[in-house]
Amino acid sequence: MDFNLSKDLEFMQKAIHDFAIAEIAPIASELDKNPKFPWKTLRKMGELGLLGILTPEKYGGSGLDMLSYAVFLEEISAADAAHGTIMSVTNGLPQSLILDYGNESQKNKYLPKLASGEWIGAFCLSEAHCGSDAAALKTKADKVKGGYILSGEKAWITSGSEAQVYLVLAKTDPSAGAKGISCFIVEKDFENISFGKPEEKMGQHAATTTTMSLDNCFLPDSALLGQEGKGFSYAMSSLDSGRIGIAAQSLGIARASLNFAQDYAAERTAFGKTINSFQGVSFKLADMAVQLEAARLLTHKAAWLKDHKKSVTQAASMAKLFASEAATKISHAAIQILGGYGYSKDYPLERYYRDARVTEIYEGSSEIQRLVIARELYK
Ligand code: CAA
C-alpha cells in the first residue's frame, strides 16, 4: 500500500476541494437551519462525476476506484456532512448493488441516471422494529404471476421520498431466515408506495430521512435483483463498501472540526498568549490530529483492499468504527477549545458535532462493527 496519493488523484482532490468550498460550504449552515434536499448542488456534483464514482464509464459513471471515492467523500463531507451522506448512499449502496448483482438490462436502465445525478438512489433494509438485527425484517414479497406483491414498511431511508430508485430487501421465504430475503429494485413511481414525513433529526438535516410504505405494491419479475434468497448476502457485501464511505465521511467532519479549532487556537488570546501556547489546548490538538491520521490510514487501507479485490469485511468495519468515533471525539474536543463560541450556532462546530453523531449509528452501529470485527477474528 502506497501512503502517497497519485498525482492524478491529488489533482482531482484539489478540484473537488475547491468545488466543495465554493458551492457547498457556504450553504451548509442555512441547510441545517432550513432543511431542503439539496438538488441544485447534487446536480453539479453529478456533472463532476461525484455521484457515480465507482460506476464504469460505459454506464455513465466515472469508473474510478474506492480510494478516489474515499478521498472525494472526505472533501464533500468537510464542507457539509448531509451532502456526504446522500453521496455515500447513492454511490455505495444502490449503484454498487446494481453493478455487482444486476443484469445488463437493469444496469443500462438505472446506472446512467444514477451516475449522472439525474436520479438519486436509496437503500431500504431497516424497519421500525429491526436495525441491527437486519435479518428480522418483516416486509414480504409474495410471488404472483409475472412478478411479486410487496407489503411492509421500511424505516430510516436516506433520501426517502426524494430518491427515484429504492433497493428494497424483502422476504420471499419467511421460513428461511436470512436465506429467505431477496432484493428488489423499486421505482418511486410504482403504484401503492408512500413515504412518511421527514424525520426530525439531531443533525444532517438536509439529508432527508423517511419511512417508506409498500401497500400491496406490484413489481414485475424484472425488478428482482440477482437471485431469490440471496438478497441478505448482497446487502451485507454492499454494506462493506458503504461502511468505507461512512468512514470517509467521518474523516471530513473530523478534519473540518480540527482545522476550525486549530485556527481559532492560533488567534485567540488568554493570559497574554494565544491559547495554542498552552499545553491544555495544544495537547488536545495533538490528540485530535493523531486520531484523524489513524482514522484516515484505516479508511484508505480498507479502500485499498477493496481496490485490490481482497476481503474487506473486517477492514471496512474497523475503518467505520474508528473513524466515526474519532469524528465524535474530535468535534467534541473542538467545541471545548472554542468554549462558549463552540456551543454557539454562530460557529459551525456545534453542527459538526451533531452531524458526526449519526456516523456511529447508521450503516451498522459501533456495536455491530465490533461484532463483525470479533467474528472475523475467528474465521
Ligand atoms: N458479505 C457477504 N455476505 C455476508 C456478509 C458480508 N459482509 N456478512 C454476512 N453475510 C452472509 C453470511 O455469509 C450468511 O450467509 P450464509 O449462511 O450463506 O453463509 C448470511 O449473510 C447471514 O449472515 P449472518 O449469519 O452473519 O447474519 P446475522 O443475522 O448474524 O447478522 C449482522 C449479521 C452483521 C449483525 C448484520 O445483521 C448487520 O450487519 N446488521 C447491521 C445492519 C446495518 O448495517 N444496517 C444499516 C442499514 S443502511 C442505513 O443505515 C440506512 C441508510 O440509508 C444509510
Side-chain angles (χ1 to χ4, degrees):
M1 184 179 156
D2 188 345
F3 292 104
N4 295 309
L5 302 182
S6 70
K7 287 275 165 261
D8 280 355
L9 184 48
E10 270 184 3
F11 180 78
M12 289 189 282
Q13 179 186 29
K14 168 85 171 62
I16 305 305
H17 174 84
D18 292 347
F19 164 77
I21 293 295
E23 303 276 347
I24 297 180
I27 59 173
S29 171
E30 177 58 23
L31 284 174
D32 178 57
K33 290 179 186 130
N34 296 303
K36 168 165 120 202
F37 199 74
W39 276 113
K40 201 171 154 200
T41 32
L42 287 169
R43 294 270 191 260
K44 291 184 185 170
M45 286 168 66
E47 282 164 22
L48 288 173
L50 291 171
L51 300 181
I53 296 174
L54 303 163
T55 296
E57 288 175 79
K58 73 169 175 162
Y59 300 117
S62 301
L64 295 171
D65 59 10
M66 196 58 140
L67 183 61
S68 314
Y69 174 59
V71 168
F72 300 162
L73 200 39
E74 177 180 333
E75 294 304 327
I76 297 296
S77 305
D80 178 39
H83 279 79
T85 292
I86 300 164
M87 173 179 166
S88 177
V89 172
T90 192
N91 271 285
L93 298 170
Q95 273 178 89
S96 289
L97 279 165
I98 295 173
L99 192 59
D100 291 346
Y101 306 108
N103 57 37
E104 212 42 40
S105 130
Q106 291 167 333
K107 288 179 190 177
N108 284 319
K109 181 170 183 190
Y110 295 109
L111 291 176
K113 285 196 162 71
L114 288 169
S116 67
E118 182 186 341
W119 284 6
I120 291 290
F123 178 69
C124 310
L125 174 65
S126 303
E127 299 181 3
H129 71 285
C130 71
S132 292
D133 183 8
L137 63 89
K138 288 186 184 153
T139 296
K140 63 184 175 88
D142 294 324
K143 185 79 190 89
V144 293
K145 191 163 177 281
Y148 297 83
I149 303 274
L150 261 67
S151 318
E153 181 158 298
K154 293 291 174 181
W156 304 113
I157 311 306
T158 297
S159 308
S161 80
E162 301 284 350
Q164 285 82 1
V165 183
Y166 297 79
L167 276 276
V168 175
L169 282 299
K171 286 209 164 134
T172 37
D173 181 357
S175 63
K179 287 194 169 61
I181 295 174
S182 303
C183 185
F184 296 91
I185 308 176
V186 178
E187 293 180 32
K188 183 182 177 179
D189 297 337
F190 286 174
E191 283 180 4
N192 300 336
I193 294 175
S194 57
F195 297 91
K197 65 174 181 49
E199 303 289 348
E200 289 187 30
K201 301 177 298 183
M202 179 176 175
Q204 301 202 16
H205 296 158
T208 309
T209 308
T210 70
T211 53
M212 177 196 201
S213 300
L214 300 135
D215 182 13
N216 291 315
C217 166
F218 174 79
L219 305 181
D221 281 326
S222 58
L224 176 69
L225 186 85
Q227 294 173 32
E228 252 191 39
K230 296 262 190 199
F232 191 75
S233 204
Y234 299 164
M236 289 297 115
S237 78
S238 73
L239 280 167
D240 286 346
S241 307
R243 288 167 183 166
I244 300 174
I246 302 305
Q249 179 194 32
S250 305
L251 297 179
I253 305 171
R255 188 184 87 195
S257 303
L258 171 60
N259 288 348
F260 200 91
Q262 176 186 340
D263 290 348
Y264 179 86
E267 296 277 326
R268 168 82 178 186
T269 54
F271 309 104
K273 295 179 193 170
T274 57
I275 60 171
N276 62 357
S277 346
F278 298 106
Q279 288 185 346
V281 170
S282 66
F283 282 14
K284 213 184 274 305
L285 289 167
D287 287 342
M288 292 154 76
V290 173
Q291 281 166 20
L292 176 58
E293 188 65 13
R296 191 179 285 117
L297 286 171
L298 280 171
T299 306
H300 287 192
K301 181 184 172 189
W304 184 90
L305 288 171
K306 179 83 185 165
D307 289 334
H308 288 78
K309 308 211 176 327
K310 294 181 190 291
S311 169
V312 78
T313 301
Q314 190 187 46
S317 283
M318 283 182 174
K320 201 265 187 191
L321 171 67
F322 192 87
S324 61
E325 294 191 350
T328 310
K329 283 183 204 152
I330 293 170
S331 53
H332 179 280
I335 289 177
Q336 199 65 22
I337 291 172
L338 267 80
Y341 294 115
Y343 195 61
S344 160
K345 283 193 185 290
D346 289 344
Y347 292 85
L349 285 176
E350 62 81 35
R351 171 165 53 86
Y352 297 157
Y353 184 57
R354 289 185 287 107
D355 286 348
R357 190 63 183 83
V358 73
T359 62
E360 293 181 65
I361 297 170
Y362 56 23
E363 298 209 19
S365 63
S366 288
E367 291 71 22
I368 288 297
Q369 307 313 326
R370 289 187 167 89
L371 181 148
V372 171
I373 294 162
R375 280 185 184 182
E376 290 290 318
L377 290 176
Y378 290 98
K379 281 193 177 161

